[in-house]
Amino acid sequence: MRVATSIPDLSTLLNSIPRPLGLVPTMGALHDGHLALVEKARRENQSLVATIFVNPTQFGPQEDLSGYPRDENRDLDMLRQHGVDLVFAPTAEEMYPQGFDTWVDVGALGDRLEGAHRPGHFRGVATVVTKLFGLVRPDRAYFGQKDGQQLAVIRRIVRDLNLGLEVVAVPTVRDPDGLAQSSRNAYLTPSQRKAAPVVYRSLCRAKTLWSNGERDADKLRAEVRAGLEGEPLVETIDYASVAHAESLDELDQASAGAMVSVAVRIGRTRLIDNLILE
Ligand code: PAF
């Protein structure tokens, strides 16, 4: 496995890499959710590039950029063991040199749900992902279903900007009690960790209602909220949404393929999760 930290080194190493080429962008602090992306990408491509970059432009001023978990040596070991060919791990200066001032704005899609609570977040995500696509020029790029809005945003960028690559969604990896794996789970105290599966259980309550024939989206949203409100350690519910998975428009009537999603705060940890109705 080769590691490039500069853009010229990345370009040189990419010259000799066989295609099709899969890309797994990450912010490091890897867990089984990332490894599921890597494993799928490994199976589907001749070559595999992963990136490790804690992207400062997708963090708000009050968010956890400085405390975001980082362990590059461990991440590199994991990527090596999973057959990654090339890792790009740039510095912030390499990605955003002095004078950088071009942004990818995804419009309304980035302003709702997560975007409403994290202003500018998706501008940062869209910009860095577009840069990574331009730098690596992958045939396929892999993202977790757990970040359902991010997935919708990235699909939209690829479509609207004709980037000509395939975006592959990979199912959420969960702990045995249902908690979706996330680098931020590391912030949870033992009692908060015990409470956290309420997020998945609440989504499942809506899915059960849906499976029993309920189509009124307000009732499904209320069911998710009722589940979350039963857990005293849930301090804030940012949203409980039933939306079209691509447009993210809130629905009156739920239909197959709709995304039920939530964001809550437990202590200092913000947890997001979603389920697709089938
Ligand atoms: O999902 C993430 O880890 C990040 O948002 C991404 C896609 C690597 C962009 O920084």
Side-chain angles (χ1 to χ4, degrees), residues 18-277:
R19 287 182 169 267
L21 170 56
L23 171 66
V24 178
T26 82
M27 298 207 300
L30 301 182
H31 50 67
D32 288 349
H34 295 111
L35 296 180
L37 306 181
V38 168
E39 282 164 11
K40 185 165 171 62
R42 181 67 282 172
R43 285 195 300 276
E44 295 181 351
N45 298 279
Q46 184 76 21
S47 305
L48 178 50
V49 175
T51 64
I52 301 175
F53 179 58
V54 183
N55 173 36
T57 65
Q58 69 188 71
F59 289 78
Q62 312 301 331
E63 293 186 17
D64 55 345
L65 173 62
S66 60
Y68 195 83
R70 289 170 171 84
D71 190 345
E72 196 168 297
N73 289 335
R74 176 179 165 277
D75 291 341
L76 290 174
D77 279 346
M78 289 168 87
L79 295 173
R80 192 176 293 110
Q81 280 163 23
H82 282 76
V84 171
D85 298 301
L86 171 56
V87 174
F88 180 48
T91 60
E93 293 68 38
E94 189 73 6
M95 291 296 277
Y96 299 109
Q98 189 97 45
F100 178 93
D101 202 15
T102 299
W103 301 93
V104 180
D105 183 341
V106 286
L109 199 58
D111 291 338
R112 50 192 66 178
L113 300 175
E114 282 303 283
H117 294 271
R118 306 183 65 189
H121 170 68
F122 286 112
R123 185 173 95 138
V125 170
T127 301
V128 80
V129 167
T130 304
K131 281 174 69 75
L132 292 172
F133 289 167
L135 288 165
V136 177
R137 300 187 189 281
D139 299 288
R140 300 188 186 94
Y142 294 77
F143 297 91
Q145 176 59 47
K146 161 152 185 303
D147 295 303
Q149 185 173 9
Q150 171 170 283
L151 193 57
V153 162
I154 292 166
R155 285 193 195 285
R156 180 68 67 86
I157 303 169
V158 169
R159 192 189 79 188
D160 285 357
L161 300 182
N162 310 100
L163 298 184
L165 60 101
E166 186 188 346
V167 174
V168 183
V170 180
T172 303
V173 176
R174 300 182 181 282
D175 284 348
D177 59 9
L179 179 65
Q181 294 219 350
S182 161
S183 307
R184 290 191 169 97
N185 292 351
Y187 301 150
L188 295 166
T189 65
S191 60
Q192 292 167 350
R193 172 64 192 77
K194 236 170 135 182
V198 71
V199 174
Y200 179 60
R201 279 201 311 274
S202 303
L203 292 170
C204 289
R205 281 173 62 145
K207 195 160 189 173
T208 304
L209 212 55
W210 152 266
S211 303
N212 292 338
E214 184 59 74
R215 295 293 178 265
D216 182 337
D218 276 341
K219 292 206 172 124
L220 300 181
R221 290 180 196 103
E223 186 71 9
V224 175
R225 280 188 180 272
L228 294 168
E229 283 161 4
E231 172 48 66
L233 291 189
V234 171
E235 285 167 26
T236 330
I237 303 172
D238 281 350
Y239 56 84
S241 155
V242 178
H244 188 280
E246 275 174 32
S247 68
L248 304 181
D249 288 335
E250 288 298 324
L251 299 172
D252 294 330
Q253 290 292 303
S255 49
M259 181 168 77
V260 186
S261 65
V262 292
V264 303
R265 197 171 285 281
I266 295 185
R268 72 179 183 106
T269 311
R270 198 159 171 284
L271 297 175
I272 63 169
D273 200 354
N274 69 80
L275 283 181
I276 302 292
L277 297 177

